[in-house]
């Protein structure tokens, strides 16, 4: 009985995936049958600086999809490919650097790199920069191949 339910679920997922492709919605499944995750990578722009950083990604209902804190320094200048489920629809990125809050929209379809094609996942690279002695950020959208390691 359980095997029949699994087969029905797998068959239904395949049909829904095909229908999503017809409607223009990109829904790609990874090797586990799940939607590939979105990802967040954080880089320290000036390795001689030390910053306490928190990155939060929220959806349209202001629910937190992703939140992670970092202490970036010369010995820990990056955190790559922290993931969260793709089906959640990120809307807003909030980055706090040493108590200074920056809020940006999650890059959308207006961005040249997005949407990602085929089995690629979308994400952002957050660069912590120093501008005239004050912290700043730069957010770049990017695509990665499923299974690619950076």
């Amino acid at each position: 009985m359980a095997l029949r339910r699994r087969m029905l679920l797998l068959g239904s997922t395949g049909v829904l995936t095909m229908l999503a492709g017809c409607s223009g919605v990109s829904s790609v499944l990874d090797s586990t049958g799940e939607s590939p995750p979105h990802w967040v990578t954080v880089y320290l722009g000036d390795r001689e600086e030390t910053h306490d950083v928190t990155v939060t990604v929220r959806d349209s209902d202001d629910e937190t999809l992703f939140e992670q804190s970092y202490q970036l320094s010369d010995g820990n200048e990056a955190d790559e490919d922290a993931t969260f489920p793709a089906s959640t629809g990120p809307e807003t990125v909030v980055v706090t650097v040493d108590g200074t809050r920056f809020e940006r929209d999650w890059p959308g379809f207006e961005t040249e790199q997005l949407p990602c094609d085929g089995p690629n996942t979308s994400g952002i690279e957050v660069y912590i920069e120093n501008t005239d002695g004050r912290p700043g950020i730069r957010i770049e959208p990017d695509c990665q191949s499923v299974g690619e390691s950076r």
Side-chain angles (χ1 to χ4, degrees):
M1 185 73 158
L3 182 58
R4 284 187 191 164
R5 277 191 230 143
R6 285 188 194 143
M7 293 303 290
L8 178 62
L9 180 60
L10 285 173
S12 299
T13 302
V15 169
L16 290 173
T17 300
M18 289 187 318
L19 290 174
C22 293
S23 68
V25 175
S26 176
S27 177
V28 179
L29 301 179
D30 66 13
S31 61
T32 65
E34 300 289 323
S35 294
H38 288 300
W39 50 269
V40 174
T41 295
V42 179
Y43 295 109
L44 179 61
D46 184 352
R47 291 181 62 171
E48 294 179 13
E49 298 284 328
T50 299
H51 294 288
D52 292 318
V53 178
T54 300
V55 177
T56 305
V57 178
R58 295 191 172 119
D59 65 11
S60 60
D61 294 328
D62 206 32
E63 296 291 323
T64 299
L65 306 175
F66 171 88
E67 185 168 74
Q68 192 157 332
S69 295
Y70 313 88
Q71 185 173 36
L72 299 177
S73 64
D74 185 46
N76 182 34
E77 79 279 2
D79 185 81
E80 298 182 309
D81 305 329
T83 60
F84 62 97
S87 61
T88 54
E91 290 283 328
T92 307
V93 181
V94 178
V95 181
T96 305
V97 182
D98 300 331
T100 302
R101 186 176 189 273
F102 302 90
E103 186 170 325
R104 305 287 189 273
D105 290 337
W106 179 272
F109 291 98
E110 71 281 355
T111 304
E112 185 177 319
Q113 295 93 328
L114 302 177
C116 298
D117 295 328
N120 296 327
T121 62
S122 63
I124 57 171
E125 296 174 340
V126 178
Y127 294 88
I128 308 305
E129 301 176 331
N130 189 342
T131 309
D132 299 328
R134 290 176 285 160
I137 66 165
R138 179 171 42 99
I139 297 178
E140 302 279 333
D142 200 7
C143 295
Q144 291 181 1
S145 297
V146 172
E148 174 184 347
S149 62
R150 293 180 142 213

